[in-house]
Amino acid sequence: MKKLILLLCLSLFSFSFAQEETPVPELLKGVWLNSSRYIVFDSGYSNGKGAVPMMVLRSFYKRYDDRAAEPHAYTEKNKRPLNNATQRNLPEEISIRFIELTPQLAGDKIVLQEDGDEISADGISSGAWTMQVKYPREKEVCNIPFAVIGNKLYLNFIVKEEDSDKVPKGAFLDGNTMQSGNPLNGYWQDSGNASGILISRPFNSKELMSYYINENSVYHIRYWRTDMDYDGEKEAVFSDGDETYRVPKHLRVSGQTFTCVNGRGTRIRNIEKSEELPSEYELNSILVKKHGTDEKGNEFSYSVRTSTICALGKPYLELVDGKTIEQIIREDSEKKYPEPEPLFPPHGVLDFDWSILEDPPSNWNMRMLDLGK
């Protein structure tokens, strides 16, 4: 399998939108939603610079769907409502392209690696990408890394190289499926640092948190943004008792370089350690089919079940099942909402005698709120 570092180094280059368009990944088909928006990555439109997504904001406490970003060709065919909170006549037209960080695995699809291994999904589809976004009136491309596991999309995720080579070879494995020990063990690289998929440039964090995990401990490795020249071969080390661990010194994420050690140093000091990951997580599951030859020259094959993506926390988006964006907008517009709560509590029937103005009582300067009670 290709080394993970080679996959991630693709983000070193600033891809021009004048290049050939990249297709929208199969796993992104359909309508995605969260509490504030609907997103259609594969709208079926492109503008020569990339695919053009649709983003519908669920504004006014989710009572109104605002078509904030969509292809201009779609706008010509589908008239926009006049009361949109964003631009009335012409929505934002955003261009997107995709760079693969881990192979897209879905259904029976098999991805052949350079070393002859065959990778496929173990029941649940998964993949990770960097989405390059070109916003109107923005000169620079914005990079948004994300991962998909099943019908959930995450912006906070870590990835690692598959470890199937660590399973011992032998003819007794022929046709079997092996588990690669604890799927969490190993070095996990932080690859997600965007605050959202928005109609304007999101915030990208200046720090990343990668993890080295073994049977007993989780080591937190902080990386920060730097202007150093990126070197994917350099390593940094840290120790815990008699054990010494090696991790990449530099990361390249969202087109920026991050380091875990200053200057020319290689030793990580004062590393944080815990017993588990700091938040709930979800792992993908993949099968790596491997081939070998026994001592007699007979060929055999076996599969290794392992994980390469670990999503942290809650998903950013979830897939809507079997509906188009037009159906969703129409259903939302037809919803009946209850009357809002009154601004003031009910006061009953006021019993007010106008004679009080002619002959005011001795306590006429009482509080106005007490009148009529």
Side-chain angles (χ1 to χ4, degrees):
M1 178 182 178
K2 282 187 176 180
K3 296 296 184 182
L4 178 63
I5 192 65
L6 295 179
L7 289 170
L8 299 178
C9 281
L10 288 173
S11 58
L12 272 168
F13 306 98
S14 177
F15 285 81
S16 168
F17 273 77
Q19 293 180 347
E20 182 180 354
E21 294 183 28
T22 57
V24 177
E26 186 69 25
L27 296 186
L28 291 184
K29 306 290 185 180
V31 182
W32 296 80
L33 86 155
N34 62 20
S35 60
S36 64
R37 68 199 61 234
Y38 298 106
I39 300 180
V40 181
F41 296 99
D42 186 21
S43 66
Y45 293 85
S46 65
N47 58 6
K49 300 178 182 179
V52 181
M54 297 180 63
M55 296 191 190
V56 180
L57 304 183
R58 306 172 71 184
S59 54
F60 304 114
Y61 305 100
K62 305 180 187 178
R63 297 192 178 192
Y64 182 76
D65 294 331
D66 188 344
R67 289 160 48 187
E70 63 188 25
H72 292 167
Y74 180 86
T75 306
E76 294 175 1
K77 297 179 181 179
N78 301 270
K79 187 176 180 181
R80 288 166 57 78
L82 296 179
N83 54 344
N84 278 353
T86 53
Q87 296 184 62
R88 176 180 298 179
N89 298 322
L90 201 61
E92 297 285 284
E93 186 174 79
I94 299 169
S95 305
I96 55 175
R97 300 179 74 249
F98 298 90
I99 301 172
E100 190 177 81
L101 298 181
T102 66
Q104 177 181 214
L105 303 174
D108 297 329
K109 179 181 178 181
I110 295 176
V111 178
L112 182 63
Q113 301 299 292
E114 290 183 350
D115 59 2
D117 289 352
E118 300 174 8
I119 302 180
S120 60
D122 182 26
I124 299 178
S125 57
S126 63
W129 297 264
T130 290
M131 181 168 60
Q132 294 191 321
V133 185
K134 181 65 173 63
Y135 290 103
R137 298 172 296 280
E138 290 271 357
K139 292 183 178 180
E140 296 184 359
V141 171
C142 175
N143 293 280
I144 303 177
F146 67 94
V148 174
I149 300 178
N151 60 355
K152 299 176 182 179
L153 184 150
Y154 297 85
L155 296 182
N156 186 12
F157 66 101
I158 50 181
V159 297
K160 77 166 183 175
E161 181 183 344
E162 59 95 348
D163 56 359
S164 62
D165 288 336
K166 296 181 180 179
V167 174
K169 298 179 181 179
F172 67 91
L173 291 174
D174 192 19
N176 291 340
T177 298
M178 309 293 291
Q179 183 77 31
S180 64
N182 183 352
L184 276 177
N185 285 355
Y187 171 72
W188 290 87
Q189 174 179 318
D190 190 350
S191 298
N193 67 336
S195 60
I197 303 176
L198 313 175
I199 61 172
S200 59
R201 181 179 290 271
F203 169 78
N204 284 60
S205 60
K206 297 181 180 179
E207 293 187 355
L208 301 175
M209 186 64 72
S210 296
Y211 302 92
Y212 192 100
I213 303 176
N214 59 25
E215 294 294 343
N216 303 313
S217 305
V218 176
Y219 300 95
H220 304 229
I221 307 163
R222 186 176 70 91
Y223 288 81
W224 57 91
R225 198 181 300 172
T226 181
D227 57 1
M228 294 181 186
D229 292 332
Y230 174 80
D231 187 342
E233 300 297 324
K234 287 187 177 179
E235 293 183 330
V237 299
F238 65 92
S239 299
D240 185 14
D242 296 331
E243 296 292 334
T244 299
Y245 305 96
R246 296 182 176 275
V247 298
K249 179 179 178 179
H250 293 158
L251 301 182
R252 188 72 176 173
V253 176
S254 297
Q256 297 173 324
T257 301
F258 294 79
T259 185
C260 61
V261 180
N262 281 320
R264 297 182 179 179
T266 59
R267 180 163 293 278
I268 306 174
R269 303 182 185 279
N270 302 320
I271 195 163
E272 183 181 347
K273 177 181 175 182
S274 65
E275 295 182 355
E276 57 186 14
L277 287 168
S279 65
E280 61 181 285
Y281 63 87
E282 182 172 356
L283 291 169
N284 74 335
S285 183
I286 67 171
L287 292 175
V288 184
K289 187 175 182 180
K290 306 183 74 66
H291 304 274
T293 305
D294 63 18
E295 297 176 353
K296 297 180 181 180
N298 299 319
E299 294 184 355
F300 66 92
S301 65
Y302 62 97
S303 296
V304 177
R305 179 179 290 108
T306 187
S307 298
T308 55
I309 303 174
C310 179
L312 303 173
K314 301 291 185 181
Y316 178 72
L317 295 169
E318 295 192 31
L319 187 63
V320 178
D321 186 22
K323 292 184 180 180
T324 66
I325 188 64
E326 291 80 13
Q327 290 174 323
I328 292 172
I329 292 176
R330 183 171 60 253
E331 290 176 4
D332 286 351
S333 66
E334 294 173 352
K335 286 181 180 177
K336 301 297 182 181
Y337 295 93
E339 292 294 328
E341 297 255 346
L343 294 177
F344 303 101
H347 52 68
V349 178
L350 287 178
D351 183 13
F352 185 79
D353 185 356
W354 285 97
S355 64
I356 195 173
L357 299 178
E358 301 173 358
D359 186 17
S362 58
N363 59 345
W364 61 269
N365 61 343
M366 70 170 65
R367 294 185 312 131
M368 291 298 293
L369 290 177
D370 293 333
L371 292 177
K373 290 186 178 180

